[in-house]
Amino acid sequence: MSTLSNPKCKIVAVGKRRDGGTRYWCLTHGDNATAKYGKRAKKCRYAGVPPVLPSQALRLDLDHYPGGVALWGAVPPVYDTTTLPIDKGIHVHVRRTIGETKVIDDTYRRVNILRSSQGEESFSVSELDAIYFMVSSIFGFDIKYIACTRCNHAHLDRDWFSVHPHQSHLCAACGRTFRDHETAVGNPISQVATLIDAARKKPQRTRKVCRLRQTEYPGGIRIWGSNPAILWTAGNAPEDGIHIHAYKTDDVCSAPVVDDTFSQVIIDNLELDELEVRTLMAQRALPHIADRVAHLSCCKCGFEPFDEGVNAFSPRVRSECPRCQGRFSTPGRLRKLIANPLLKRLDLLATSAPRRPQMHDLGLIPEVL
């Protein structure tokens, strides 16, 4: 096992807070280091995030793989009855020739992309770049390349900021605020396609249908919503739908017997809604709304709302049913919630599962105003 340890925080004063106190910033990890009462913290919030190990990084020369390269932001499935570890970061598919089996089908925390024919200069994609690209894309936000006007560091908008376009940004590198000339969401990934001369292809709707019973797959199943690829160099277009992995055994080295994207998925006679699956996947990657997504239903008529658009990431209070003017029941102590009926369907699926579904925690740090 590697003995790499996280580098120590380098904390400096970077200006004044709104209340006139000093604001401290960690230049090592790029995060706030101001403790309670405006004091200098001993360490920043990202000090505990493990460094990227050599085995978790990939150097990817596109010229070596004419069969196609694809990259996505990887997050845990919305439903997982396997015993496999969490999927987090950048998922990579690589083929040496068109139509052959994948020579790389794995997830990494960092991918350095280059074309040797154009020189050795590479473009680095981090796990947070990839995850928040997925979130912004699913919720319909375009991203742009934004660089700090003070230190020229490429800016990434995380969590709340990845779904709320804005002009004023806080640079992770120098800890200073700066303004861009446009209201937008910043993500360095926006430059990937242009830098390596490979355009993103629009996903095509698949027509495949999946019907399965969980008892036939004792190794478990995993369910994701499809999301736009960061990079896609294959000749065909990526597929749009619900992605399923199904396993016959618990062997962590075994490949899934079902590994495909479907337009319709019916498991144990329960049909899943593609938009609900995709939305829940993105919602679970936004730490500022953790525990705010719930299944809601009208006490009178049973209407189950599904929040879309801005409401899909903006918790709000509900009191009256739009269908019958009845009252909504809200589970737990929180009043401001986001409605997604998929949670109820996943609970129903769990009753016939070979084992209790895993609940993965991405461990992302909240970033809010």
Side-chain angles (χ1 to χ4, degrees):
M1 181 178 292
S2 174
T3 58
L4 285 177
S5 59
N6 215 15
K8 292 183 179 180
C9 292
K10 181 181 179 181
I11 299 173
V12 299
V14 291
K16 296 294 183 179
R17 302 186 304 162
R18 292 180 180 178
D19 62 2
T22 302
R23 187 163 61 87
Y24 296 94
W25 194 259
C26 174
L27 299 180
T28 303
H29 305 109
D31 191 55
N32 181 47
T34 309
K36 196 174 182 180
Y37 306 121
K39 295 182 179 180
R40 182 185 185 277
K42 293 181 179 179
K43 60 182 180 180
C44 74
R45 297 180 306 166
Y46 278 86
V49 176
V52 178
L53 303 176
S55 61
Q56 298 171 323
L58 175 68
R59 183 179 181 273
L60 189 60
D61 187 340
L62 300 186
D63 290 333
H64 292 171
Y65 304 103
V69 171
L71 274 65
W72 295 270
V75 293
V78 298
Y79 183 77
D80 184 4
T81 57
T82 71
T83 57
L84 298 170
I86 187 173
D87 217 20
K88 173 188 176 184
I90 309 133
H91 194 70
V92 181
H93 284 180
V94 170
R95 288 179 170 86
R96 292 193 186 279
T97 58
I98 297 173
E100 76 164 8
T101 57
K102 297 184 285 283
V103 293
I104 299 177
D105 184 357
D106 210 343
T107 301
Y108 300 86
R109 293 184 62 193
R110 183 174 296 279
V111 176
N112 296 316
I113 309 166
L114 64 112
R115 281 194 186 277
S116 54
S117 60
Q118 299 176 359
E120 286 298 311
E121 185 177 353
S122 65
F123 187 92
S124 181
V125 178
S126 75
E127 59 183 337
L128 290 183
D129 295 342
I131 290 171
Y132 286 119
F133 168 79
M134 179 274 295
V135 172
S136 298
S137 299
I138 284 180
F139 287 130
F141 293 99
D142 292 329
I143 60 170
K144 67 168 289 190
Y145 182 84
I146 297 174
C148 175
T149 57
R150 296 174 181 269
C151 69
N152 205 37
H153 181 75
H155 181 69
L156 170 65
D157 281 316
R158 311 175 215 178
D159 192 22
W160 187 93
F161 301 97
S162 69
V163 289
H164 292 86
H166 50 287
Q167 275 190 284
S168 183
H169 304 270
L170 178 61
C171 178
C174 68
R176 306 279 184 170
T177 58
F178 67 96
R179 287 182 67 83
D180 189 57
H181 65 280
E182 291 182 330
T183 298
V185 172
N187 193 315
I189 280 177
S190 61
Q191 278 205 331
V192 170
T194 55
L195 284 177
I196 60 176
D197 192 25
R200 295 191 193 100
K201 293 190 176 180
K202 185 177 180 179
Q204 296 296 313
R205 181 73 177 166
T206 179
R207 296 182 179 181
K208 290 173 283 190
V209 176
C210 175
R211 296 177 182 268
L212 59 82
R213 292 190 175 276
Q214 294 185 88
T215 54
E216 298 174 356
Y217 301 94
I221 64 172
R222 306 179 105 183
I223 302 171
W224 294 268
S226 62
N227 62 93
I230 296 167
L231 176 67
W232 183 279
T233 66
N236 61 322
E239 293 182 317
D240 196 20
I242 299 176
H243 195 73
I244 301 289
H245 284 183
Y247 298 82
K248 286 292 188 181
T249 71
D250 289 334
D251 183 0
V252 295
C253 296
S254 65
V257 293
V258 178
D259 181 358
D260 212 340
T261 302
F262 304 91
S263 61
Q264 185 181 28
V265 174
I266 302 171
I267 303 174
D268 294 344
N269 296 320
L270 185 65
E271 184 170 357
L272 302 181
D273 182 274
E274 177 186 336
L275 183 56
E276 292 175 1
V277 172
R278 186 180 294 115
T279 300
L280 182 61
M281 186 176 72
Q283 288 168 335
R284 287 181 171 174
L286 289 172
H288 79 279
I289 58 171
D291 303 321
R292 295 278 181 177
V293 183
H295 164 253
L296 303 178
S297 62
C298 173
C299 298
K300 185 176 179 181
C301 71
F303 174 70
E304 299 176 326
F306 171 50
D307 287 333
E308 301 180 64
V310 67
N311 291 329
F313 49 84
S314 303
R316 59 195 176 104
V317 176
R318 275 181 188 76
S319 57
E320 190 173 86
C321 175
R323 177 182 291 175
C324 72
Q325 287 70 57
R327 303 288 295 181
F328 270 106
S329 60
T330 55
R333 60 180 180 81
L334 299 174
R335 295 186 64 216
K336 290 187 176 182
L337 297 171
I338 299 166
N340 192 329
L342 179 64
L343 293 172
K344 179 182 178 181
R345 295 180 180 86
L346 296 182
D347 286 342
L348 289 174
L349 282 182
T351 61
S352 57
R355 64 177 63 82
R356 187 180 181 87
Q358 296 191 78
M359 294 303 296
H360 297 290
D361 182 6
L362 273 169
L364 299 177
I365 296 174
E367 305 281 349
V368 294
L369 287 172

